Amino acid sequence: MKFTITRSIFSKALNDVSRAISTKTTIPILTGLKLDLTEQGLVLTGSNADISIEATLDVNSEQNDLQIESTGSIVLQAKFFGDIVRNLPEKTMTLEVKDGFQTVITSGASEFNINGLDANNYPHLPEIDAEDALTVPASVLQQLINQTVIAVSNQESRPILTGVHLVIDSGKLIAVATDSHRLAQRTLALPEAGDAHYDVIIPGKSLTELSRTLTDDIQNVEIRFAENQVLFIAGRNAFYSRLLEGNYPDTSRLIPTTSSTTAQFTAPVLLASIQRASLMSHESSNNVVRLALDPASQTATLFGNSPDVGNVEEQLTFTSLAGEALDISFNPDYMKDALQGVGPATIELAFTAPLRPFTMVPTEDRDQFIQLITPVRTFS
Amino acid sequence: MKFTITRSIFSKALNDVSRAISTKTTIPILTGLKLDLTEQGLVLTGSNADISIEATLDVNSEQNDLQIESTGSIVLQAKFFGDIVRNLPEKTMTLEVKDGFQTVITSGASEFNINGLDANNYPHLPEIDAEDALTVPASVLQQLINQTVIAVSNQESRPILTGVHLVIDSGKLIAVATDSHRLAQRTLALPEAGDAHYDVIIPGKSLTELSRTLTDDIQNVEIRFAENQVLFIAGRNAFYSRLLEGNYPDTSRLIPTTSSTTAQFTAPVLLASIQRASLMSHESSNNVVRLALDPASQTATLFGNSPDVGNVEEQLTFTSLAGEALDISFNPDYMKDALQGVGPATIELAFTAPLRPFTMVPTEDRDQFIQLITPVRTFS
């Protein structure tokens, strides 16, 4: 195996696949990065138990400037190899595998000799049919991920809740996540899905990593499903994730359909107020802020309190306030996450009772994105 | 005590003095920030056992927009208070101290009530005469600090070596630091010092913190010395540091005056090569690279080796190479620090023997900045 390549391009592909490589893996060869050189191009692979990333550098791409002298495969220590490539002096670099997996990397007057590993011992990635592929704009997928992973549980006690539940049915995609204290549900029209039906649970961590690889230059992402794997193809990268096994709880009945009090706010303005109130609640043993809504006097007041440190009180600016008076306490961090997911929009909070979950929707897009927050019972 | 002020200015001053405040102090009141309001303005103070920083916001400054209603003093929890100020909604903020050190902070519709502490219990800063003040351009002081603190020891076993030795004599300033493996000495003509004589040792950590407060808008720094304190006045900030007590070792006789081999390099080019070689030495139990200089054949070769991982060999590009052939091994991290201190200049390395310290000087400024590195004995 011997090739010469544009160093910056190779380094970038190496960074991409390194996202999947962990130094903490129990399978030693997975701390390495696999290189496969065929007449078609160079494929870099990184993997851990949950996700695998494959980057393909095409022999026909002019900017890759890939010169193949002989094909083959090798596995190299990922972190160390990445450091070497980043620090080489010239624009191009040459990599040659000699006897016994000894690998020589040269660039200008610099020559590295490092020990490689037999690529035959590297686990194979699953093969996933292109048969039922869906295509989604990268920006839409990224938004969908960001808006749902916030509600994913990070408690391994109920592993199923660490995933995002994705259902594709009747030309619609519904993504739901909940940690049982809050819920985020994003709906997307997907006419090209036709009568395809999928019901899968993708680990939240996989989606977060996927979202980080979706750079601005990527237009569309192709999604393919297999038995226990999902594959996202974005630009020259293929991103594999395992699926979570089990039944996701039925969340549709959790979302209230009526309300007795509603309030509308500009999301960033409310976010800043919540942020201030949380400065106090974070100093307290129970991280709770209190919201008092009084439609009769048209006032909304937010309270944060810490017995040791002090308290804060703020008159909130709202765009509308209607229904019955209400006093409700909740975790301000859930509210912050929810508001950050909405962006600069106007949102509506809809309440039924002080101890019942309340909803947050963008007023312009009520059906596409709905979030639920469970209040906290306080004795004060 | 009650005043109104431009929030951004107050927040910046608060950040400045917070550099001196540690949450780990054994004196509880020092986790606080002191505010002193007089008819002249507002003084903020932060302190730990080693350094104290005072910022003065003048009542006559238009941008401060300081409105004084009543004077007084208070101590507030620094981190918490800083978070509040940063998150307030409006351009201005009002702070009022009520009975029992209760402090009310208001901005727009937001009102914080927090508990303060009696400012009478806050330790007093030393008073330092303006009599023998020196003035140094801020950029020169910053360079001098950066070029010497790299060689300061971080081992508390010889506390005196954790400081920078500063001698002002005969209109000249000499700053020296050494951790006994390497040494950095910076000389500065200081004609305005006249026949003033000072010999002090300033903790390296204090100088590093001072250097961080020297922002681009600061032209000159006034330096005042007292018995066991030094005071730097930079813009609206006064920076106090304790001095280290004891006798600094005589370093002047350590610097060799003759050499048998010299080599000149462009500092950033040599730095990149050292960086590459250190990738290997860092993977080895003894962090050493080897430099082989052969003036006869006009070659300079750098070697890095790790028994487990591999090795690197590089032909170095030099601008001149003269004297006897030499093989020398050294810690590449010391060389990296030394080269980074020099910047983009051309440097000369001068060697006497494989196991004797060698010097590095910028070729344009040989007397002003000299660094010394002790080689490592290897058995290979």
Side-chain angles (χ1 to χ4, degrees):
Chain A
M1 176 185 184
K2 184 174 181 183
F3 66 89
T4 298
I5 198 165
T6 305
R7 189 168 61 90
S8 60
I9 304 266
F10 184 65
S11 186
K12 199 178 164 314
L14 208 151
N15 276 346
D16 286 351
V17 305
S18 292
R19 291 185 176 282
I21 303 175
S22 162
T23 51
K24 289 183 206 143
T25 174
T26 50
I27 308 163
I29 202 164
L30 288 187
T31 62
L33 171 128
K34 188 171 68 148
L35 298 176
D36 283 304
L37 186 62
T38 66
E39 297 297 342
Q40 282 72 53
L42 179 65
V43 179
L44 296 79
T45 309
S47 181
N48 63 32
D50 293 324
I51 61 172
S52 304
I53 305 177
E54 224 178 56
T56 303
L57 296 172
D58 202 290
V59 71
N60 296 318
S61 152
E62 214 166 287
Q63 63 169 3
N64 292 349
D65 195 15
L66 176 59
Q67 312 287 337
I68 301 171
E69 217 161 293
S70 61
T71 59
S73 297
I74 189 76
V75 172
L76 299 170
Q77 281 309 310
K79 191 189 161 305
F80 189 61
F81 180 53
D83 285 342
I84 290 176
V85 172
R86 236 187 323 283
N87 281 287
L88 289 173
E90 300 295 333
K91 274 195 181 170
T92 63
M93 56 173 279
T94 300
L95 187 147
E96 182 177 7
V97 178
K98 303 215 163 170
D99 290 344
F101 314 115
Q102 191 69 21
T103 303
V104 185
I105 305 151
T106 47
S107 181
S110 181
E111 179 180 311
F112 282 84
N113 273 275
I114 60 173
N115 306 319
L117 296 166
D118 188 351
N120 288 319
N121 297 329
Y122 196 89
H124 288 279
L125 294 191
E127 292 194 12
I128 300 183
D129 277 352
E131 211 172 298
D132 294 321
L134 291 172
T135 300
V136 180
S139 58
V140 171
L141 179 62
Q142 188 142 38
Q143 195 194 43
L144 182 140
I145 292 172
N146 294 342
Q147 291 181 331
T148 50
V149 290
I150 46 174
V152 154
S153 168
N154 49 26
Q155 309 270 315
E156 288 297 332
S157 55
R158 280 187 75 187
I160 204 88
L161 296 188
T162 63
V164 173
H165 185 204
L166 219 73
V167 178
I168 294 167
D169 193 35
S170 318
K172 221 166 64 172
L173 182 158
I174 301 181
V176 180
T178 179
D179 61 4
S180 78
H181 302 290
R182 51 177 162 178
L183 175 150
Q185 175 181 302
R186 180 73 158 81
T187 308
L188 194 68
L190 210 62
E192 70 143 38
D195 55 2
H197 178 83
Y198 296 102
D199 187 324
V200 299
I201 306 159
I202 307 177
K205 282 181 191 165
S206 299
L207 290 174
T208 301
E209 274 306 329
L210 170 65
S211 148
R212 289 188 185 134
T213 67
L214 297 179
T215 45
D216 288 346
D217 55 317
I218 295 168
Q219 298 290 314
N220 289 298
V221 179
E222 188 184 318
I223 311 177
R224 300 183 194 172
F225 297 96
E227 188 62 38
N228 52 9
Q229 289 276 334
V230 57
L231 166 60
F232 299 90
I233 300 174
R236 68 174 177 222
N237 292 343
F239 187 105
Y240 296 79
S241 170
R242 73 177 173 98
L243 297 174
L244 292 174
E245 282 170 46
N247 291 315
Y248 201 83
D250 177 16
T251 53
S252 60
R253 60 187 173 76
L254 298 176
I255 300 168
T257 48
T258 60
S259 67
S260 51
T261 310
T262 59
Q264 295 190 355
F265 297 90
T266 308
V269 173
L270 181 59
L271 178 59
S273 299
I274 296 281
Q275 172 75 24
R276 282 189 285 276
S278 72
L279 290 177
M280 285 296 170
S281 65
H282 285 171
E283 300 293 314
S284 172
S285 57
N286 60 339
N287 180 21
V288 166
V289 299
R290 183 164 69 87
L291 176 64
L293 299 173
D294 186 5
S297 67
Q298 285 290 295
T299 57
T301 316
L302 188 66
F303 301 89
N305 181 46
S306 152
D308 296 337
V309 181
N311 62 69
V312 54
E313 178 176 335
E314 182 165 338
Q315 293 303 322
L316 300 183
T317 306
F318 48 83
T319 52
S320 104
L321 179 58
E324 296 165 19
L326 183 92
D327 237 53
I328 195 163
S329 296
F330 52 84
N331 181 327
D333 298 334
Y334 294 167
M335 182 64 103
K336 276 198 271 182
D337 289 345
L339 286 163
Q340 272 158 355
V342 174
T346 297
I347 55 104
E348 179 173 287
L349 301 179
F351 306 87
T352 51
L355 292 175
R356 298 292 305 278
F358 59 93
T359 59
M360 177 190 299
V361 294
T363 54
E364 297 283 303
D365 247 341
R366 289 168 177 272
D367 298 332
Q368 286 199 18
F369 186 32
I370 184 159
Q371 297 186 83
L372 206 67
I373 294 176
T374 305
V376 176
R377 183 193 296 266
T378 58
F379 304 93
S380 61
Chain B
M1 175 183 183
K2 185 175 181 184
F3 65 89
T4 298
I5 197 164
T6 306
R7 187 167 62 90
S8 59
I9 304 267
F10 184 66
S11 185
K12 199 179 164 315
L14 208 152
N15 275 346
D16 285 350
V17 306
S18 292
R19 290 184 176 283
I21 302 175
S22 162
T23 51
K24 289 183 206 143
T25 175
T26 49
I27 308 165
I29 202 164
L30 289 187
T31 62
L33 171 128
K34 188 170 68 147
L35 298 176
D36 284 304
L37 185 63
T38 65
E39 297 298 341
Q40 282 72 51
L42 180 64
V43 180
L44 295 81
T45 308
S47 182
N48 62 33
D50 293 323
I51 62 173
S52 303
I53 305 177
E54 225 178 56
T56 303
L57 297 172
D58 202 290
V59 72
N60 295 318
S61 151
E62 213 167 285
Q63 64 169 3
N64 292 348
D65 196 14
L66 176 59
Q67 314 286 336
I68 301 171
E69 218 163 291
S70 61
T71 59
S73 297
I74 190 75
V75 173
L76 299 170
Q77 281 308 311
K79 193 192 158 304
F80 190 60
F81 179 52
D83 284 344
I84 291 176
V85 172
R86 236 188 320 283
N87 281 288
L88 289 173
E90 300 296 332
K91 274 195 181 171
T92 62
M93 56 173 279
T94 300
L95 187 145
E96 181 178 6
V97 178
K98 303 213 162 166
D99 290 343
F101 314 115
Q102 193 69 19
T103 303
V104 185
I105 304 151
T106 47
S107 181
S110 181
E111 179 180 308
F112 281 85
N113 274 274
I114 60 173
N115 305 319
L117 295 166
D118 187 350
N120 288 318
N121 296 330
Y122 196 89
H124 288 278
L125 293 191
E127 292 195 12
I128 299 183
D129 279 351
E131 212 173 300
D132 294 321
L134 291 173
T135 300
V136 180
S139 59
V140 171
L141 180 62
Q142 189 142 38
Q143 195 194 43
L144 182 141
I145 293 172
N146 294 343
Q147 292 182 331
T148 50
V149 291
I150 45 173
V152 153
S153 168
N154 49 25
Q155 308 271 316
E156 289 297 333
S157 54
R158 282 187 75 188
I160 204 86
L161 296 187
T162 64
V164 173
H165 185 205
L166 220 73
V167 178
I168 294 169
D169 193 36
S170 320
K172 223 167 62 174
L173 183 159
I174 302 181
V176 180
T178 180
D179 61 4
S180 79
H181 302 292
R182 53 177 161 178
L183 175 149
Q185 175 181 303
R186 180 73 156 83
T187 307
L188 195 65
L190 212 61
E192 70 144 39
D195 54 2
H197 178 83
Y198 296 101
D199 187 324
V200 299
I201 306 158
I202 306 176
K205 281 182 190 163
S206 299
L207 291 174
T208 302
E209 274 307 330
L210 170 65
S211 148
R212 288 186 185 135
T213 67
L214 297 179
T215 44
D216 289 345
D217 56 316
I218 294 169
Q219 297 291 314
N220 288 298
V221 179
E222 189 185 316
I223 310 177
R224 299 184 196 172
F225 296 97
E227 188 63 39
N228 52 9
Q229 288 276 334
V230 56
L231 166 60
F232 299 89
I233 300 175
R236 66 174 179 225
N237 291 342
F239 187 104
Y240 296 79
S241 171
R242 73 176 174 97
L243 297 175
L244 292 174
E245 282 171 46
N247 291 314
Y248 201 84
D250 177 17
T251 52
S252 60
R253 61 191 172 74
L254 297 176
I255 300 168
T257 48
T258 60
S259 68
S260 50
T261 311
T262 60
Q264 296 191 354
F265 297 90
T266 308
V269 173
L270 180 58
L271 179 59
S273 299
I274 296 281
Q275 172 75 23
R276 282 188 284 276
S278 71
L279 291 177
M280 285 297 169
S281 64
H282 286 170
E283 300 292 315
S284 171
S285 56
N286 59 341
N287 180 20
V288 165
V289 300
R290 183 164 68 89
L291 176 64
L293 298 174
D294 186 3
S297 67
Q298 285 290 297
T299 57
T301 317
L302 188 66
F303 302 88
N305 181 47
S306 154
D308 295 338
V309 181
N311 61 67
V312 54
E313 178 177 335
E314 183 165 340
Q315 293 302 323
L316 299 183
T317 306
F318 48 83
T319 54
S320 104
L321 179 58
E324 297 165 19
L326 183 92
D327 237 53
I328 194 164
S329 296
F330 52 85
N331 181 325
D333 298 334
Y334 293 166
M335 183 65 103
K336 276 197 268 181
D337 288 345
L339 286 164
Q340 272 158 354
V342 174
T346 298
I347 54 105
E348 180 173 286
L349 302 178
F351 306 87
T352 51
L355 291 175
R356 299 291 305 279
F358 59 93
T359 58
M360 178 191 298
V361 294
T363 54
E364 298 283 303
D365 248 339
R366 289 170 177 271
D367 298 331
Q368 286 199 20
F369 186 32
I370 184 159
Q371 297 186 83
L372 206 66
I373 293 177
T374 305
V376 176
R377 185 192 294 266
T378 59
F379 305 93
S380 61

